[in-house]
Amino acid sequence: MLKGYIHAGWTWCKSHVYIWVMLFLYQLLWGFFLYRFLESLIVPLLHRYPNPAPTELSSQLFWMESQFQLTKTNHYMPYLWAIVSFIGIRMLLTPLIQAGTFYSMAHHRNDSGLTFFSGIRAAWKRMSLIYILETLVLLAPAYWVIPYLAGEFANSSGWKALAVGALPITLGWIIGGWIVHHLFLFWQFGISSETSFLQALKLGCLRALPVLGISLVFACISLVSSIMVTAAAMFWTGMTALILQQAYPALRALLKLWSLSSRYHAWENSPEHNR
């Protein structure tokens, strides 16, 4: 059963290569500008760090100066506003891409080639609302989880005790967030296919097993691919490693798009949806 949905998702990907290219360029440019920003922030600090320290107090003075700069001055404000701008741009562009992509999936039978842009026009407001709600719901447990983990870290007598105290709640947060993400995904599928909210969730619950199964399959594929690319880059240095590192974002974008389209076909082929 999963094989048929994955094959249907691949067929959709082959006929919508332009969406894959746009998604790849989006991730590539985002990663490039984020890397350059972090490089401009971290490299000067590393240059100033005393290593090896000429005296025992040099490292302590470095950390004392850093603490003073953070707590007593506003020199960090340009960097803070830059981070806020990055987050704002990300939250603005992501729903647009989601609207166009999901709309193209929902209208794949009568796709004229411009369905992606029609989807942005038709659904970007609702997709933006869903994206904001999902982000808030996923981050809400942090209000309780982070202080708990901080307390466990401060009071733990060793790594084993820390793992016993922190691992269950961390795994619970991750698994719960994964399930909540799919509930919002069903909602997005419903908006793209003009299905009501309750009906979209009902169809998603009916097809939860194949949808979650496909998600697990592609998560494993992505993990294996990442490990293989990293290992190959470590053994094959030089131009080969550079080509692999540059090609991996394209593979990651393809796997993400393929996974989404496969899950949509699993959701769409619910018996109730086909009545």
Side-chain angles (χ1 to χ4, degrees):
M1 185 182 294
L2 295 184
K3 184 178 179 181
Y5 299 138
I6 292 173
H7 182 267
W10 175 247
T11 301
W12 181 88
C13 287
K14 288 193 297 183
S15 60
H16 295 78
V17 177
Y18 70 96
I19 298 180
W20 168 50
V21 173
M22 287 190 293
L23 183 62
F24 162 63
L25 293 177
Y26 166 70
Q27 293 183 351
L28 183 66
L29 292 174
W30 176 262
F32 173 78
F33 286 113
L34 184 62
Y35 170 79
R36 287 299 184 186
F37 170 72
L38 294 176
E39 183 184 37
S40 66
L41 179 64
I42 295 174
V43 170
L45 291 176
L46 293 178
H47 286 165
R48 297 184 65 246
Y49 184 76
N51 186 27
T55 64
E56 296 182 358
L57 293 177
S58 298
S59 298
Q60 297 180 14
L61 289 174
F62 173 83
W63 293 114
M64 290 173 60
E65 180 189 1
S66 300
Q67 183 180 11
F68 177 81
Q69 293 287 343
L70 289 174
T71 58
K72 302 298 183 180
T73 69
N74 60 352
H75 293 166
Y76 62 89
M77 288 302 295
Y79 303 104
L80 179 61
W81 282 114
I83 294 173
V84 171
S85 299
F86 272 109
I87 295 174
I89 294 172
R90 180 83 173 190
M91 295 188 71
L92 177 65
L93 293 179
T94 299
L96 300 182
I97 296 174
Q98 290 177 340
T101 302
F102 293 142
Y103 196 85
S104 298
M105 293 176 186
H107 296 80
H108 61 91
R109 293 184 179 87
N110 55 354
D111 193 348
S112 62
L114 298 176
T115 313
F116 180 86
F117 302 101
S118 300
I120 293 177
R121 260 193 329 270
W124 74 270
K125 292 181 181 179
R126 289 172 291 175
M127 288 293 183
S128 298
L129 176 61
I130 293 174
Y131 181 74
I132 293 172
L133 287 175
E134 181 183 359
T135 302
L136 293 176
V137 171
L138 292 177
L139 292 179
Y143 181 81
W144 297 276
V145 173
I146 291 180
Y148 173 80
L149 294 179
E152 288 290 325
F153 182 79
N155 299 325
S156 63
S157 57
W159 287 108
K160 187 175 181 179
L162 179 63
V164 171
L167 192 58
I169 193 170
T170 304
L171 287 177
W173 189 10
I174 294 173
I175 295 173
W178 183 62
I179 295 173
V180 168
H181 167 71
H182 280 85
L183 293 176
F184 278 95
L185 189 65
F186 299 151
W187 190 3
Q188 292 173 315
F189 288 163
I191 288 177
S192 303
S193 60
E194 299 178 359
T195 304
S196 67
F197 170 70
L198 292 178
Q199 183 69 6
L201 290 183
K202 181 180 178 180
L203 296 175
C205 292
L206 289 173
R207 307 298 292 167
L209 287 180
V211 170
L212 295 178
I214 291 171
S215 181
L216 283 174
V217 168
F218 277 95
C220 292
I221 294 174
S222 298
L223 178 61
V224 171
S225 301
S226 176
I227 294 174
M228 290 178 63
V229 170
T230 303
M234 291 175 62
F235 287 105
W236 297 337
T237 58
M239 184 59 66
T240 303
L242 180 61
I243 293 174
L244 288 172
Q245 291 294 333
Q246 295 301 318
Y248 180 67
L251 175 62
R252 185 175 56 194
L254 177 61
L255 290 174
K256 182 177 181 180
L257 200 61
W258 190 0
S259 172
L260 284 173
S261 59
S262 300
R263 280 178 281 175
Y264 177 83
H265 281 86
W267 174 87
E268 183 188 37
N269 284 280
S270 170
E272 292 227 352
H273 193 271
N274 292 327
R275 287 181 182 176

